Amino acid sequence: MELQDPNLRQRGRASLDFLAQMGVAAAPVSQKVTSEISDQMDPDKLPDDLDERDALINAALADSRAFATHRLMGDWHSRSYTRISTEAFEEILPELQPVLDKTSNGPASLELDPDLPLPDYWDGVHFHRTDGGWDGHEHMGYVHGEIIHKKMVARFFPGGIFQQRQNVAEMAPRDNYKRILDMGCSSGHFTTALANTYPDAQITGVELSARMLEHAFRTANANGWNWKLYQRPAEDTGFDDASFDLVASYILIHEIPADVVEKVFAEAFRLLEPGGDMIMSDATRYADLDKLGVWKADRGAKYGGEPFWRETASLDLAEIARKVGFEDVSADGIYPHVVKGRKPA
Ligand SMILES: C[S@@+](CC[C@H](N)C(=O)[O-])C[C@H]1O[C@@H](n2cnc3c(N)ncnc32)[C@H](O)[C@@H]1O
């Protein structure tokens, strides 16, 4: 048994296939909903207020079978995926355990802090409607990192979720970084892209979830990487000023409130050496979508367990980057939306 991308047993594989196929099958139903809305109203004239927009569309689609079906599919999917993935994990645990034990040692380091005051916006919040939240299972790092991501999300998310991380890692302006910080490193997928792109760099990760960090730690050990992993908030890392030459993140921002986003950017600025680079990437900005696109994204976030999506997707991240001191700021791309900036030399 390999640590990463495991072979599941037949039952787990079939259940995960069903979940993935349901994600694929939801796409044409969603298109049908969109065309029904367009038949009934001019999407450009929808209300600016997002709650009013949602209420108007809900009323218009009250008798729509496509709308009801889409809602049911999404709800069942959100309610079921943690249970199905955890069951698939438990089926392979006997063979996996020796691999988990073996990869608990190696070149990486992991500093967990049982006394860390976890922020209210994170603690007890079931992001993505994950049962119990990011720390909801003893092996949630494995369940999320290897099973949910690789056996489900990767199959219905457009563009290749791992290729996207690799693309973002390669978008940093230089190719010779030596000290990289990954903020919100979770189970280590973007950290892996950074390690592959900058093999000579010392890579550090900060993350609030102990369970996610444990899987990142095992991933690093399995690959011979000497990552330094810390259970610390991205907005208050405790590292010295000028500790890094690249500070990066991949889809952290939509999971934190808007005021914390600014603190995270300010912390990135503090942590960079003069001339150092920041690259933060996240979900599509509402400003880059039409009114119907915003409605869909907003509704998906509301029912999909994304409490800060609306407020962060409404931010101008380039403006925040400039406000905290970055220069040469750029913000491009629909998904992911990538914000870059340099600390003045
Ligand atoms: C969507 S995941 C990030 C995924 C990861 N970067 C990857 O490439 O797979 C967001 C992560 O950010 C973490 N997180 C949320 N708020 C945080 C904070 N203030 N500081 C550090 N990590 C945080 C969450 O626990 C979660 O693991």
Side-chain angles (χ1 to χ4, degrees):
M1 175 77 58
E2 297 291 321
L3 178 76
Q4 293 170 299
D5 211 357
N7 284 325
L8 299 178
R9 296 263 176 82
Q10 168 63 18
R11 184 168 173 274
R13 200 166 55 238
S15 303
L16 263 298
D17 274 352
F18 183 74
L19 275 177
Q21 287 306 326
M22 188 174 248
V24 173
V29 186
S30 171
Q31 274 167 17
K32 169 90 174 121
V33 171
T34 309
S35 70
E36 286 183 10
I37 296 170
S38 306
D39 287 347
Q40 294 194 47
M41 57 192 88
D42 180 350
D44 293 337
K45 295 196 178 134
L46 286 165
D48 289 332
D49 180 87
L50 294 181
D51 292 325
E52 271 179 46
R53 193 180 306 176
D54 191 40
L56 186 86
I57 295 176
N58 273 320
L61 296 182
D63 297 325
S64 160
R65 288 196 294 176
F67 190 48
T69 305
H70 193 261
R71 202 169 42 211
L72 269 176
M73 288 169 90
D75 194 50
W76 186 85
H77 201 280
S78 298
R79 281 170 191 272
S80 309
Y81 80 93
T82 318
R83 174 182 55 76
I84 287 174
S85 309
T86 308
E87 284 171 4
F89 167 78
E90 278 160 3
E91 284 181 334
I92 59 165
L93 184 55
E95 301 113 88
L96 191 60
Q97 190 61 58
V99 184
L100 296 176
D101 294 342
K102 195 169 144 210
T103 49
S104 295
N105 292 297
S109 66
L110 171 62
E111 185 193 284
L112 297 181
D113 180 359
D115 299 323
L116 179 71
L118 294 165
D120 288 347
Y121 65 77
W122 186 91
D123 196 18
V125 180
H126 295 185
F127 289 96
H128 310 165
R129 294 177 66 180
T130 300
D131 296 348
W134 286 114
D135 280 350
H137 182 279
E138 188 195 348
H139 286 288
M140 192 60 96
Y142 194 91
V143 171
H144 245 277
E146 301 305 326
I147 299 186
I148 294 175
H149 267 82
K150 292 184 179 165
K151 310 292 183 190
M152 187 187 82
V153 183
R155 292 176 53 192
F156 64 73
F157 218 79
I161 54 170
F162 298 105
Q163 186 58 45
Q164 282 171 357
R165 285 164 169 83
Q166 188 58 39
N167 295 346
V168 172
E170 290 172 14
M171 276 179 208
R174 287 186 274 149
D175 58 10
N176 58 350
Y177 296 105
K178 293 283 176 266
R179 297 176 297 157
I180 299 177
L181 175 64
D182 181 8
M183 292 179 145
C185 64
S186 202
S187 60
H189 291 320
F190 182 51
T191 335
T192 294
L194 290 167
N196 284 330
T197 311
Y198 307 103
D200 298 331
Q202 170 63 62
I203 296 192
T204 300
V206 288
E207 161 63 47
L208 291 173
S209 162
R211 304 288 85 86
M212 294 299 140
L213 281 165
E214 284 162 356
H215 187 57
F217 176 60
R218 288 196 180 99
T219 298
N221 287 334
N223 287 284
W225 290 322
N226 64 349
W227 297 353
K228 295 181 176 178
L229 300 165
Y230 297 86
Q231 189 182 21
R232 297 185 186 179
E235 62 272 35
D236 182 15
T237 61
F239 300 125
D240 290 341
D241 292 0
S243 293
F244 300 97
D245 53 9
L246 176 67
V247 176
S249 77
Y250 186 88
I251 62 171
L252 160 71
I253 292 168
H254 74 271
E255 289 201 4
I256 54 183
D259 60 319
V260 182
V261 174
E262 187 165 330
K263 289 182 187 157
V264 167
F265 276 42
E267 180 71 349
F269 188 83
R270 183 185 74 76
L271 292 173
L272 282 167
E273 63 186 28
D277 294 308
M278 174 198 75
I279 179 163
M280 305 285 197
S281 49
D282 212 84
T284 311
R285 305 293 91 196
Y286 282 1
D288 292 330
L289 294 170
D290 62 18
K291 283 185 164 180
L292 214 44
V294 170
W295 173 76
K296 276 191 182 183
D298 204 60
R299 190 175 173 83
K302 182 171 164 189
Y303 292 107
E306 299 282 15
F308 307 113
W309 189 286
R310 180 186 288 188
E311 65 187 79
T312 54
S314 304
L315 292 172
D316 182 340
L317 296 176
E319 188 182 287
I320 297 173
R322 286 190 197 98
K323 186 175 165 192
V324 303
F326 285 103
E327 62 181 22
D328 290 336
V329 172
S330 65
D332 301 299
I334 297 292
Y335 195 96
H337 180 75
V338 180
V339 184
K340 293 193 257 183
R342 176 170 303 121
K343 183 165 177 168

